[in-house]
Amino acid sequence: MNSRPNVVLIMADDMGYSDIGCYGSEIRTPNLDALAAGGVRMSQFYNTARCSPARASLLTGLHPHQTGIGILTDDDGPVGYPGTINNRCVTIAEVLRDHGYATAMRGKWHLTGQVHEPNHAWPTRRGFDDFYGILTGASSYFDPSTLHRGEAPEPFTEDRYFTTVLGQEAAAFIDGQSVDQPFFLYLPFTAPHWPLHAPQDVVDSYRGVFDAGWDELRARRYRRLVESGLISGEWALSDRDDEVVAWADAGDHDWQARRMEVYAAQVELLDAAIGEVVQALRRTGRLDNTLIMFLSDNGGCSEEMPPGWVDDLPSVPVHMVATTRDGGPIKRGNAPAIVPGGPETYSSYGKPWANLSNTPFREYKHWVHEGGIATPFIAHWPDGRLTAGIDHDPHQLPDVLATVLEATGAGYPASFPGRDLLPPEGRSMLGSWRGTPTGDHRLFFEHEGNAAIRDGRWKLVRKFGRDWELYDLDRDRTELHDLSDQQPERVAALVAQWQDWADRCGVRPRGPIVASFDPPDPNALVVGSYRSSWDQRSQPPSLSGRE
């Protein structure tokens, strides 16, 4: 039997910091909780605040801007990013395949703007010998769009649920592997990204769980996080978002609770699919020598959707279908008249529940305050001599590739055919997981002009078009006490360091990108395009000026 470890890399989609049981949630996630109990939970791991950039960074060990995907898979040239993963990087799959690993992917790709005809950026051409999944960024869970097996479109039969099928497909891959060859399995789910879709029986099992409302549930999650040791009780729970009314003052409680019930069902079914993978590893005798990593691509998603019929849109977006399988219309949007869950709906859970998902932090997907970039991260590898418990060292996505290389003994290629490779940016986390602190290293972030740098305990962060804010994360990780006016010299030094990084890594100024957009149609921007971040809170009065 081969002694090199297998690697299983699992990513949730749009799931907040506190949305699984072992991170304070009331949602049932027994499989992830068991992996955490036998492994490492990271309290300060960071993503990049958005779907495509997170995937690009995770797979390549680079910052997303270096890969060509600074925002999403739209081509925003010439002032922006091409929106397709470029040839200056290699993926984990490409590296491990060259070191004798079998490679497979099950799930969401979202790293190319071309989702109908294969190009150099398809998973089959970036190191994955075996691919089953979708190429776009979201889809119906009952009738997924852009579904392919290899490079061929794949039909999706009725009465199936995409998350569950991904778990089954991943388990089947593991069952079919030779014990003499290690494998790398990348499993990026679409769950619990909108639309709110889940089987009725699982949704009904959450009836009443969220009736206390977002205010009380945020307080309960906060207490559990403190009691678990994941966060410090010195960090106050952030206030409810200013744009969210108190639960007591919110109308339509039954409908509001239903939104979260469906979301919770999506997370539970994600966990069940992961359980299928763990069972396959166990029955094939591979569990102990498999490095399993689990994380989310960004914080909880506050995106709302205006009500309407899908077929009333000027054109049906690639991630949607116009009708149900039996020809019935699909009602999109967030309104009490649209009860989410079934295939005839296309809704999101909105800002109030995203505020719960990101407990105890501020902000959401898109922003680089802690609510947008903090993710649960679980590492499990019984043969890897990990120190079970909580790891408080700060790390971010480029560190995953470095960790995989150290764990597998694979070297980063000095050259690659047809590629002018950039050196990887990350630092291995294995030492930290084995009880030796990594030591401080600066972490950098930028998405849509929202920017941050973390240097030890200090974090400098801003929204696009706003002033920089400074926080002492040892005392105030919930970012409630801005110290920028008190420490202008520290602010200036961190700004200079961030700008040096941004220049080196090819961060494009946000203003010209926004100015290049056609005048936005709010409906199209929210549900018809992945430029769904057009939110007036993140836009400055003037779009001119340098980052």
Side-chain angles (χ1 to χ4, degrees), residues 87-152:
N87 283 326
R88 300 217 64 192
C89 55
V90 290
T91 68
I92 295 174
E94 288 174 306
V95 175
L96 293 186
R97 185 174 65 178
D98 281 359
H99 284 79
Y101 275 68
T103 59
M105 175 182 164
R106 301 287 184 266
K108 164 180 164 176
W109 182 238
H110 206 198
L111 293 177
T112 177
Q114 174 54 267
V115 298
H116 299 297
E117 294 293 332
N119 67 3
H120 72 279
W122 276 39
T124 46
R125 305 188 184 190
R126 298 311 292 246
F128 291 101
D129 293 323
D130 190 337
F131 167 65
Y132 174 85
I134 64 170
L135 295 160
T136 189
S139 190
S140 166
Y141 290 80
F142 299 107
D143 190 10
S145 303
T146 71
L147 180 64
H148 284 70
R149 189 179 296 277
E151 295 185 354

Side-chain angles (χ1 to χ4, degrees), residues 11-14 55 107-108 134 136-141 162-163 166 188-194 266 270:
M11 177 170 270
D13 196 350
D14 282 13
R55 284 159 174 73
K108 164 180 164 176
I134 64 170
T136 189
S139 190
S140 166
Y141 290 80
F162 190 45
T163 302
L166 289 178
F189 288 94
T190 59
H193 192 294
W194 48 255
Q266 291 177 296
L270 163 70

Side-chain angles (χ1 to χ4, degrees), residues 182-264:
F183 63 80
F184 169 55
L185 172 62
Y186 176 45
L187 183 55
F189 288 94
T190 59
H193 192 294
W194 48 255
L196 293 174
H197 282 170
Q200 183 72 42
D201 60 331
V202 186
V203 177
D204 286 346
S205 73
Y206 280 95
R207 188 74 68 190
V209 171
F210 301 100
D211 287 359
W214 40 74
D215 295 319
E216 175 60 26
L217 292 170
R218 287 186 78 235
R220 293 178 190 175
R221 288 193 181 189
Y222 171 75
R223 288 194 294 270
R224 293 189 201 108
L225 284 163
V226 172
E227 291 165 0
S228 72
L230 281 163
I231 69 170
S232 169
E234 294 183 11
W235 307 336
L237 174 64
S238 62
D239 292 336
R240 181 182 63 250
D241 189 295
D242 290 343
E243 297 182 4
V244 174
V245 300
W247 176 257
D249 298 328
D252 304 298
H253 279 181
D254 288 346
W255 171 73
Q256 290 284 14
R258 169 72 177 207
R259 300 166 82 187
M260 192 62 194
E261 289 163 5
V262 181
Y263 179 88

Side-chain angles (χ1 to χ4, degrees), residues 48-56 63-77 79-84 110-111 297-298 365-366 446-450 464 506-514 516-517 529-534 547:
T48 64
R50 196 73 173 282
C51 308
S52 296
R55 284 159 174 73
H63 292 286
H65 320 81
Q66 297 171 294
T67 73
I69 300 187
I71 301 176
L72 282 176
T73 54
D74 298 302
D75 185 349
D76 291 324
V79 295
Y81 306 95
T84 291
H110 206 198
L111 293 177
D297 63 347
N298 46 248
K365 171 183 177 179
H366 298 288
E446 191 279 340
H447 183 68
E448 299 175 308
N450 305 310
F464 175 42
V507 174
R508 303 289 183 90
R510 179 63 175 167
I513 296 174
V514 174
S516 73
F517 291 170
S529 157
Y530 273 97
R531 288 175 178 155
S532 56
S533 58
W534 195 284
E547 280 274 13

Side-chain angles (χ1 to χ4, degrees), residues 340-351:
E344 73 285 356
T345 66
Y346 206 97
S347 302
S348 69
Y349 75 159
K351 187 169 292 182

Side-chain angles (χ1 to χ4, degrees), residues 218 222 235-241 355 358-363 478-480:
R218 287 186 78 235
Y222 171 75
W235 307 336
L237 174 64
S238 62
D239 292 336
R240 181 182 63 250
D241 189 295
N355 201 194
N358 296 337
T359 303
F361 304 122
R362 294 171 48 202
E363 298 301 337
T478 47
E479 299 171 314
L480 301 181

Side-chain angles (χ1 to χ4, degrees), residues 11-12 15-18 20 23 42-48 294-299 361 370-378 395-397 477:
M11 177 170 270
M15 194 191 78
Y17 185 79
S18 67
I20 57 177
Y23 279 76
M42 301 190 73
S43 68
Q44 299 193 84
F45 190 89
Y46 293 104
N47 51 47
T48 64
F294 169 84
L295 72 160
S296 180
D297 63 347
N298 46 248
F361 304 122
E370 297 288 287
I373 57 176
T375 172
F377 191 111
I378 297 169
H395 283 278
Q396 65 180 147
L397 289 173
R477 194 177 167 207

Side-chain angles (χ1 to χ4, degrees), residues 176-506:
Q177 295 309 295
S178 167
V179 295
D180 296 322
Q181 183 182 23
F183 63 80
F184 169 55
L185 172 62
Y186 176 45
L187 183 55
F189 288 94
T190 59
H193 192 294
W194 48 255
L196 293 174
H197 282 170
Q200 183 72 42
D201 60 331
V202 186
V203 177
D204 286 346
S205 73
Y206 280 95
R207 188 74 68 190
V209 171
F210 301 100
D211 287 359
W214 40 74
D215 295 319
E216 175 60 26
L217 292 170
R218 287 186 78 235
R220 293 178 190 175
R221 288 193 181 189
Y222 171 75
R223 288 194 294 270
R224 293 189 201 108
L225 284 163
V226 172
E227 291 165 0
S228 72
L230 281 163
I231 69 170
S232 169
E234 294 183 11
W235 307 336
L237 174 64
S238 62
D239 292 336
R240 181 182 63 250
D241 189 295
D242 290 343
E243 297 182 4
V244 174
V245 300
W247 176 257
D249 298 328
D252 304 298
H253 279 181
D254 288 346
W255 171 73
Q256 290 284 14
R258 169 72 177 207
R259 300 166 82 187
M260 192 62 194
E261 289 163 5
V262 181
Y263 179 88
Q266 291 177 296
V267 174
E268 178 174 332
L269 291 166
L270 163 70
D271 179 81
I274 293 169
E276 292 284 339
V277 172
V278 173
Q279 288 302 316
L281 292 169
R282 182 174 284 117
R283 66 174 168 261
T284 57
R286 293 182 170 95
L287 181 61
D288 286 355
N289 197 31
T290 298
L291 170 58
I292 301 173
M293 292 172 284
F294 169 84
L295 72 160
S296 180
D297 63 347
N298 46 248
C301 175
S302 62
E303 295 164 355
E304 297 281 1
M305 293 186 187
W309 299 103
V310 170
D311 57 5
D312 284 342
L313 294 170
S315 62
V316 177
V318 69
H319 57 84
M320 304 176 78
V321 290
T323 64
T324 60
R325 288 181 180 275
D326 60 8
I330 292 177
K331 188 79 167 179
R332 78 174 196 277
N334 302 337
I338 304 172
V339 181
E344 73 285 356
T345 66
Y346 206 97
S347 302
S348 69
Y349 75 159
K351 187 169 292 182
W353 294 119
N355 201 194
L356 170 66
S357 288
N358 296 337
T359 303
F361 304 122
R362 294 171 48 202
E363 298 301 337
Y364 314 93
K365 171 183 177 179
H366 298 288
W367 290 274
V368 295
H369 287 73
E370 297 288 287
I373 57 176
T375 172
F377 191 111
I378 297 169
H380 182 274
W381 183 17
D383 286 353
R385 307 187 314 280
L386 308 187
T387 303
I390 298 173
D391 177 8
H392 294 294
D393 280 358
H395 283 278
Q396 65 180 147
L397 289 173
D399 297 336
V400 172
L401 171 65
T403 304
V404 170
L405 295 182
E406 182 180 359
T408 61
Y412 191 81
S415 61
F416 203 86
R419 313 268 182 94
D420 179 19
L421 294 184
L422 293 167
E425 297 276 339
R427 178 184 297 190
S428 175
M429 298 179 282
L430 269 188
S432 184
W433 296 345
R434 290 169 174 165
T436 303
T438 304
D440 289 339
H441 62 300
R442 294 188 188 100
L443 309 180
F444 297 93
F445 308 88
E446 191 279 340
H447 183 68
E448 299 175 308
N450 305 310
I453 173 177
R454 175 167 178 172
D455 186 5
R457 67 193 294 170
W458 297 102
K459 179 180 176 185
L460 190 73
V461 61
R462 69 157 192 221
K463 292 182 179 182
F464 175 42
R466 305 287 181 86
D467 292 335
W468 289 99
E469 304 161 16
L470 179 68
Y471 298 101
D472 178 351
L473 296 192
D474 281 2
R475 296 183 176 181
D476 178 31
R477 194 177 167 207
T478 47
E479 299 171 314
L480 301 181
H481 305 288
D482 178 10
L483 304 176
S484 59
D485 288 344
Q486 301 174 31
Q487 301 199 38
E489 292 182 359
R490 188 183 301 278
V491 169
L494 290 172
V495 169
Q497 292 166 14
W498 182 89
Q499 191 63 59
D500 287 345
W501 166 82
D503 293 342
R504 180 177 64 81
C505 290

